[in-house]
Amino acid sequence: MLTSCYSRLKMIPEGMEAVAISVGIPRWYRGRREIRLAPTRAMLKMSQEEYDRLFRAKLKELDPKELFDAVGNNGVMLCWEKPGESCHRRLVAEWMESNLGIEITELGFERSEVPSYSSLAWSTPKPAKKKIDEQPLLF
């Protein structure tokens, strides 16, 4: 099992199978999905602290062996962020690693080259744009 991002889909080796674990997917993606491993849309707008707390709670409710089997040993868990960016796929991989005693690395990297989830830089969600009718009236 590996992790990667949608932009590296063509790099997936023969015999491995892409499995999306994000709530949204690219329009062109036609592969398998495992939505149980995706954060909710609401979670994507939270602070890192709140996101981590809720996503870890979500993982606690899941069976890591069942999810590993569902994705498959030849699965490549995909999300949006590029390697080295903070992404829940690294958190999912570490959860499986610690619960199942396995190793899951990022496509194209040795496991020793992959930073831990906690050391990855979190990108702050962009504030939603206000609609025209929400703009303050100036007199």
Side-chain angles (χ1 to χ4, degrees):
M1 183 178 289
L2 299 169
T3 61
S4 193
C5 60
Y6 295 114
S7 65
R8 295 170 54 101
L9 186 69
K10 291 183 180 180
M11 295 175 65
I12 294 176
E14 190 173 326
M16 301 293 286
E17 183 179 13
V19 181
I21 64 167
S22 57
V23 66
I25 58 170
R27 288 185 179 150
W28 47 263
Y29 181 78
R30 299 290 179 254
R32 286 196 309 124
R33 296 182 76 187
E34 183 46 76
I35 200 73
R36 293 177 290 175
L37 293 173
T40 65
R41 289 193 189 279
M43 289 171 71
L44 299 175
K45 298 174 185 169
M46 297 176 177
S47 69
Q48 181 179 6
E49 183 179 301
E50 185 74 1
Y51 175 93
D52 286 352
R53 185 180 66 74
L54 289 175
F55 197 77
R56 288 177 196 278
K58 177 178 180 153
L59 290 176
K60 269 188 156 179
E61 300 297 317
L62 299 172
D63 179 344
K65 175 69 170 123
E66 179 186 337
L67 269 297
F68 178 86
D69 291 343
V71 172
N73 191 46
N74 68 334
V76 181
M77 295 185 288
L78 298 177
C79 194
W80 294 93
E81 287 72 24
K82 292 182 175 137
E85 294 178 355
S86 185
C87 181
H88 82 288
R89 73 176 179 266
R90 184 74 247 146
L91 186 56
V92 169
E94 290 174 7
W95 170 72
M96 285 185 180
E97 287 177 335
S98 66
N99 282 285
L100 303 175
I102 59 173
E103 189 173 276
I104 302 172
T105 193
E106 183 77 14
L107 176 66
F109 296 88
E110 296 295 322
R111 180 61 183 95
S112 61
E113 299 173 311
V114 179
S116 67
Y117 174 79
S118 62
S119 71
L120 294 169
W122 179 263
S123 60
T124 307
K126 295 179 179 112
K129 292 183 180 179
K130 291 184 177 182
K131 295 178 184 174
I132 293 173
D133 59 345
E134 293 178 317
Q135 298 292 333
L137 297 175
L138 303 174
F139 292 97

